[in-house]
Amino acid sequence: MSRFSKTLLASALTLVAGGANASAFQLAEVSTSGLGMAYAGNAAVADNASVIATNPALMTRFQGAEMSVGGILVDTDLH
């Protein structure tokens, strides 16, 4: 295989791989309560301690120590 062919093949694979990046799967769980509201207004409402992941200034709104615990289960069904 010539050097030109290798370069052409590597360039083609690089361009094709960009499309695979667009179809990636992302789990954006900052908080389970925020996930239930689709994160609408989550950065402005200090209703639980998980808001400090998106807006650390909201820590000043808490009167005492806060803790937020949640869980996410991804149940896949592959055949």
Side-chain angles (χ1 to χ4, degrees), residues 11-52:
S11 299
L13 288 175
T14 301
L15 293 174
V16 172
N21 196 17
S23 64
F25 180 72
Q26 177 186 8
L27 293 174
E29 301 95 14
V30 175
S31 73
T32 52
S33 63
L35 184 62
M37 300 182 308
Y39 298 108
N42 194 33
V45 179
D47 59 348
N48 61 37
S50 67
V51 297
I52 63 169

